[in-house]
Amino acid sequence: MDKPTGQPHRVGIRKLGAGEWLRLDEIRYVDCEGKSRTWEAAERCAGQNAVVVIACLRPSGRYVLIRQYRPPRDAFVLEFPAGLIDVGETPAASALRELREETGYHGVVRHVSGLGLNSPGMTSEAAFIALADIPEEQPENRDPAPCCDDGEHIAVVTVAPAEMTAFVSAREQAGDVTDSKVIAFFLGAGVMPRVLPC
């Protein structure tokens, strides 16, 4: 059977609707076989990229997670701290700002990844992943307090790698949902059990 050889490409976008922060687009494109098709996607109105912060307390080695209510899922979600990158801000600066705002912790960025997609079948939203260390001995990290936006209610949780599987399982049994980035990170780190052998 011959495989398609054409290059798929976008030919147009029609806005289906918009709110203050998001819009719904109908994307018209041509597939590998030259057929015209459409796809619906949600986009940010301002087109901003995001940053996700995987922060580890040092020297204890505990990871910082947040738990917050997410209306689209109608559930509390376990996530890494994250947020949109402001205009003129670097991903590293945004990571430290979001970490401070959402958790109260002050950290140091060790590494920032390239831009990756969160849910490419639904949106073009993209995020950098920043790895950060939080020096526990620093005075500002001894009693951190989040500085949340209006309507944002965040609980900060620190979890040791050895506790992660039991913690996530208990929270899911209580009705919470876990962000796939958290699951992927801890699966990749060998912390959570793998379902299939490699």
Side-chain angles (χ1 to χ4, degrees), residues 10-28 38-46:
R10 184 185 289 184
V11 294
I13 298 176
R14 181 171 67 99
K15 184 170 80 171
L16 299 176
E20 185 176 355
W21 305 105
L22 298 175
R23 70 175 193 269
L24 178 63
D25 292 339
E26 179 186 76
I27 301 167
R28 294 184 310 282
T38 60
W39 194 279
E40 292 176 356
E43 304 295 336
R44 292 197 184 279
C45 292

Side-chain angles (χ1 to χ4, degrees), residues 4-182:
T5 57
Q7 181 68 30
H9 59 280
R10 184 185 289 184
V11 294
I13 298 176
R14 181 171 67 99
K15 184 170 80 171
L16 299 176
E20 185 176 355
W21 305 105
L22 298 175
R23 70 175 193 269
L24 178 63
D25 292 339
E26 179 186 76
I27 301 167
R28 294 184 310 282
Y29 70 102
V30 175
D31 71 11
C32 302
E33 298 170 343
K35 293 179 183 174
S36 294
R37 299 195 181 272
T38 60
W39 194 279
E40 292 176 356
E43 304 295 336
R44 292 197 184 279
C45 292
Q48 293 166 281
N49 291 320
V51 64
V52 176
V53 189
I54 301 174
C56 187
L57 292 160
R58 303 290 183 191
S60 71
R62 297 178 71 82
Y63 283 91
V64 178
L65 299 177
I66 62 172
R67 179 181 180 264
Q68 64 179 321
Y69 176 74
R70 292 297 197 177
R73 187 67 191 192
D74 191 24
F76 283 91
V77 180
L78 299 171
E79 311 171 32
F80 290 120
L84 297 177
I85 299 171
D86 289 340
V87 175
E89 194 175 41
T90 66
S94 178
L96 295 179
R97 176 181 54 75
E98 289 292 344
L99 183 65
R100 277 191 314 275
E101 289 175 2
E102 293 191 351
T103 71
Y105 283 115
H106 294 252
V108 178
V109 172
R110 291 192 283 125
H111 174 76
V112 177
S113 74
L115 203 55
L117 299 177
N118 287 324
S119 185
M122 188 181 132
T123 179
S124 65
E125 180 185 53
F128 295 92
I129 296 178
L131 301 179
D133 288 336
I134 300 169
E136 291 173 285
E137 74 280 357
Q138 290 185 356
E140 61 268 28
N141 289 328
R142 291 194 186 131
D143 190 23
C147 181
C148 298
D149 293 334
D150 183 42
E152 192 175 48
H153 303 282
I154 294 175
V156 179
V157 182
T158 65
V159 186
E163 302 165 350
M164 191 61 65
T165 299
F167 172 75
V168 167
S169 178
R171 291 308 323 147
E172 288 176 347
Q173 287 179 12
D176 289 359
V177 180
T178 307
D179 187 305
S180 61
K181 292 179 286 300
V182 171

